Amino acid sequence: MLFLLACDGSLLHINVEGTYSSTVPEISTYQSVLTSINFTTDVNESEELKNQNVNKGDIISSIMTLFTLETVSGSDLSFIEEMNISVSSVSSDSEQIRLAYYDDFEAKNFAQFSLTSNDFTEQVISDQMNIVINITGNLPSTETTIEAN
């Protein structure tokens, strides 16, 4: 969900919704041995989004208002230790802006992320915005399907 302020100062609410599903493979015997000696896996996923003719002044504020992660089948979310979602501008020297994070996945099938309320308008109006997801953890003991909303 995304809230924007229009040029005239009135609240314009654009709800950006979607459900994204992914299947995480189960851990192999070799990986299980590495896990037993406290080896963790870091996953960094990134997606570039091109600007859709949005210009400076078209948007005053961009804030993430909700992000959830849920298991649909398989294990619970305890194989994840920490997950961070941030954005950056591909075309400028802007820093990465943290939008959401969660680090208490223990024995849970659903996680509502903590949000930073950081404004990422500069990234939205840039030529390209990069969405970055950083995950630290291990593979689950069984194949697990998760959904992000």
Side-chain angles (χ1 to χ4, degrees), residues 69-82:
L69 197 64
E70 182 175 16
T71 58
V72 177
S73 66
S75 177
D76 58 27
L77 294 168
S78 62
F79 64 94
I80 303 172
E81 291 179 17
E82 181 179 18

Side-chain angles (χ1 to χ4, degrees), residues 10-74:
S10 61
L11 181 64
L12 172 65
H13 171 248
I14 298 176
N15 192 12
V16 180
E17 278 188 26
T19 299
Y20 306 93
S21 181
S22 180
T23 300
V24 183
E26 67 184 81
I27 193 166
S28 70
T29 305
Y30 171 73
Q31 292 163 325
S32 181
V33 170
L34 290 176
T35 301
S36 69
I37 56 173
N38 292 326
F39 176 82
T40 59
T41 305
D42 288 335
V43 175
N44 295 309
E45 188 63 37
S46 179
E47 172 99 21
E48 285 183 10
L49 301 174
K50 291 189 187 257
N51 187 317
Q52 302 295 311
N53 296 321
V54 177
N55 299 305
K56 196 170 196 149
D58 291 343
I59 298 173
I60 296 171
S61 179
S62 304
I63 300 169
M64 182 179 281
T65 59
L66 180 68
F67 188 86
T68 62
L69 197 64
E70 182 175 16
T71 58
V72 177
S73 66

Side-chain angles (χ1 to χ4, degrees), residues 83-119:
M83 186 169 169
N84 289 285
I85 301 167
S86 56
V87 293
S88 63
S89 173
V90 176
S91 60
S92 73
D93 294 333
S94 72
E95 63 185 78
Q96 212 171 74
I97 306 288
R98 187 181 194 193
L99 302 179
Y101 60 94
Y102 199 83
D103 63 1
D104 186 24
F105 290 99
E106 200 61 40
K108 294 179 180 172
N109 292 325
F110 178 84
Q112 184 168 328
F113 281 51
S114 297
L115 305 172
T116 62
S117 71
N118 288 331
D119 187 340

